[in-house]
Amino acid sequence: MTVGLKKDFSCFFLIILLGSGFLPSLFAQNTPLPQNLGVISPKEWVLLPKEAYVGDQVELRLTIAPGIELLPQDADFVSKEFEAEEVWGSRDFAFRHKLLAQQGNAPMSLHRVALQRVDGGYSLSLVVTPWVPQEIDGGYFNLFSLPEVQAFVAGAGVQFFLVQLPKIEIASLAQKVGATQLRPVAPPVLVPGSIYVVYGLAIGALLLFIALIFVLARFRQVKLFVKGVMARIRLSRNYKWVLRQLKKLQGQQLKGKELAAGLENITRTYLEGRFGGSFKSAATSEIMFLLDEIFVGMLSDEQLNVVEGLCNLLRRCDYLRYAPAAVLSSGEQEQLISQLKEYIDFMEGKE
């Protein structure tokens, strides 16, 4: 009876230990693990690059022979990305404690794990970043961290499938360069010839600042100047448009109504673009009054003759458009086009 009670008590104590997290802590200390938990020792391993320093991203590549298939026949390669703040499940506790400990002095960070089928077993690749210059014991990695492996091997009755990781030596960069103390603060090193670029940028910034002060001090004058430039550009485009339209009319044989409509559209569009009045909607008899109002009665005799000639041309166009028996006389098309061009050249100051 006493033996049976001791046996029952031992089983009960083992269950308490498993439930209280003793087993993960045991893994964390890298103590020997029972073989029925599926611990695999690597056949061979290599660290790439061989010389690893603090802060470098390195690859720990192991060749393992688990004795059973870890992947289905149609899958030869699986991988998984890990974030630094990712929390793994309880069955990954041992490896997380070693590589991704929540304390601030975690020896390494895990980035990526890959498992690939090779001849004679599998190749396990772990991409990590070491943070301490010493010999680091990685502990164990649970293959069930890869969902594909866990799903395929789930029927084997194994809860943990751990790979024992080797100890890796992380060198200190200070030892390599032979530095024993902090160097004094040094000024920035300039690339030969770059000092001229710095001088040029400084001078350019100074000139830009002076130009800005000048613009602010003479804002009204600058505004008027810009407005004048924009007006000249607009008038130049308006005049070039007239010349293109008159050139099109010269190369065509038009009837009286067609020629009159084209000339009247060109004339009214030009006047409205040149003086800004409502010349397109005004009657022909109102053109003279609109121009007289714009120039406030200050037209010279020569200017007045041009305005009257322009109004006479528009009246002739009205007659050709609306009179039933109106026809063009011989050579009248060229004459009307030439007259309109002379009037517009005079207004533009070309003659």
Side-chain angles (χ1 to χ4, degrees):
M1 179 65 69
T2 303
V3 175
L5 289 175
K6 289 183 178 180
K7 183 177 182 181
D8 294 340
F9 180 76
S10 300
C11 294
F12 177 76
F13 182 70
L14 178 60
I15 293 174
I16 293 297
L17 289 180
L18 291 174
S20 61
F22 176 77
L23 184 58
S25 300
L26 185 65
F27 292 170
Q29 298 300 323
N30 198 20
T31 55
L33 298 174
Q35 293 300 318
N36 60 357
L37 292 182
V39 179
I40 304 171
S41 297
K43 297 169 55 179
E44 57 183 20
W45 65 274
V46 63
L47 183 67
L48 302 173
K50 293 183 178 180
E51 292 187 3
Y53 298 93
V54 175
D56 292 345
Q57 191 170 102
V58 298
E59 180 185 1
L60 180 60
R61 189 176 300 175
L62 307 93
T63 302
I64 60 176
I68 64 172
E69 293 293 336
L70 300 178
L71 298 174
Q73 294 298 326
D74 57 347
D76 292 334
F77 177 85
V78 294
S79 64
K80 182 179 179 181
E81 301 285 338
F82 291 94
E83 299 293 338
E85 67 275 6
E86 184 175 354
V87 178
W88 296 359
S90 60
R91 62 182 54 189
D92 308 310
F93 180 86
F95 188 66
R96 177 169 60 86
H97 180 77
K98 286 293 184 180
L99 295 189
L100 293 178
Q102 300 302 313
Q103 294 82 1
N105 58 348
M108 285 194 293
S109 296
L110 177 64
H111 304 291
R112 185 172 62 255
V113 175
L115 182 67
Q116 183 176 6
R117 191 194 308 273
V118 295
D119 293 339
Y122 293 87
S123 174
L124 179 64
S125 170
L126 298 96
V127 178
V128 299
T129 298
W131 298 116
V132 290
Q134 63 185 31
E135 186 181 59
I136 298 178
D137 184 1
Y140 300 88
F141 174 70
N142 186 13
L143 290 173
F144 281 1
S145 299
L146 300 170
E148 296 85 355
V149 176
Q150 182 180 8
F152 187 71
V153 191
V158 180
Q159 294 182 348
F160 295 88
F161 221 129
L162 305 178
V163 176
Q164 186 172 11
L165 302 180
K167 296 180 181 181
I168 58 176
E169 184 69 29
I170 304 301
S172 173
L173 190 59
Q175 297 176 357
K176 180 179 180 181
V177 299
T180 58
Q181 61 184 0
L182 295 177
R183 295 181 181 179
V185 179
V189 179
L190 292 178
V191 178
S194 61
I195 188 65
Y196 300 107
V197 177
V198 176
Y199 288 157
L201 293 176
I203 295 174
L206 179 62
L207 294 177
L208 183 62
F209 179 73
I210 295 174
L212 181 61
I213 296 299
F214 177 80
V215 170
L216 293 178
R218 304 199 171 198
F219 180 75
R220 182 177 179 83
Q221 291 84 345
V222 173
K223 183 179 179 180
L224 293 175
F225 173 77
V226 173
K227 188 176 181 180
V229 171
M230 297 302 296
R232 285 194 291 271
I233 293 175
R234 177 176 55 82
L235 294 177
S236 176
R237 289 179 177 176
N238 190 44
Y239 177 67
K240 291 180 180 179
W241 178 83
V242 170
L243 296 181
R244 289 196 301 269
Q245 297 302 315
L246 290 178
K247 188 175 181 180
K248 288 181 181 179
L249 292 179
Q250 286 178 342
Q252 302 179 25
Q253 294 296 327
L254 303 174
K255 297 180 181 180
K257 292 184 178 181
E258 296 173 348
L259 177 64
L263 290 176
E264 190 167 356
N265 178 60
I266 294 172
T267 304
R268 291 178 179 272
T269 302
Y270 168 77
L271 291 175
E272 191 163 306
R274 182 68 172 79
F275 301 110
S278 302
F279 290 95
K280 289 184 179 181
S281 59
T284 302
S285 58
E286 298 175 345
I287 299 295
M288 176 68 75
F289 297 103
L290 285 175
L291 290 172
D292 187 65
E293 183 179 355
I294 291 172
F295 290 100
V296 293
M298 300 298 293
L299 291 172
S300 64
D301 292 340
E302 188 176 8
Q303 292 172 339
L304 188 59
N305 291 333
V306 171
V307 171
E308 289 179 351
L310 194 62
C311 292
N312 290 334
L313 187 145
L314 290 176
R315 281 192 287 269
R316 175 58 179 166
C317 289
D318 288 342
Y319 179 76
L320 291 173
R321 292 182 65 186
Y322 302 112
V327 293
L328 287 171
S329 59
S330 177
E332 187 176 8
Q333 176 174 338
E334 291 76 11
Q335 180 183 357
L336 293 175
I337 294 174
S338 178
Q339 287 179 354
L340 179 57
K341 185 177 183 306
E342 290 179 3
Y343 296 149
I344 292 177
D345 284 344
F346 180 83
M347 293 182 180
E348 293 291 326
K350 304 298 182 181
E351 293 185 357

